[in-house]
Amino acid sequence: MTEDASPLISSTELAKKLGLARRTISHYAKEGLITPALVTPGGQYRWRYEDVVAEMRELAKARRQERD
């Protein structure tokens, strides 16, 4: 994970940047596919955009290797 390189953003903000639904972001987090930088005491996720993009690239790479 990146050390404070970028600001924390909400799931809604992350979803907009990625072109996904907010529920998709929450689903991916609950499945362990992406990891939030922080979970608030109220259970809300906070993200570092660059970290999520890197995790999603690795996930896509692994899935491509599984198909080959």
Side-chain angles (χ1 to χ4, degrees):
M1 294 275 176
T2 309
E3 292 288 328
D4 297 328
S6 61
L8 295 176
I9 60 174
S10 69
S11 294
T12 300
E13 292 170 303
L14 179 65
K16 285 180 185 178
K17 284 185 153 204
L18 295 174
L20 299 171
R22 187 203 49 79
R23 288 186 64 169
T24 301
I25 299 299
S26 296
H27 174 75
Y28 286 179
K30 288 177 184 169
E31 293 294 316
L33 301 174
I34 57 176
T35 307
L38 174 77
V39 180
T40 69
Q44 296 180 355
Y45 299 129
R46 295 294 181 258
W47 307 92
R48 292 199 195 284
Y49 176 75
E50 292 82 6
D51 291 346
V52 174
V53 169
E55 286 181 314
M56 292 182 81
R57 280 188 184 130
E58 287 300 314
L59 180 61
K61 181 180 175 182
R63 287 183 174 173
R64 280 193 302 273
Q65 289 175 347
E66 287 176 5
R67 286 187 306 203
D68 295 339

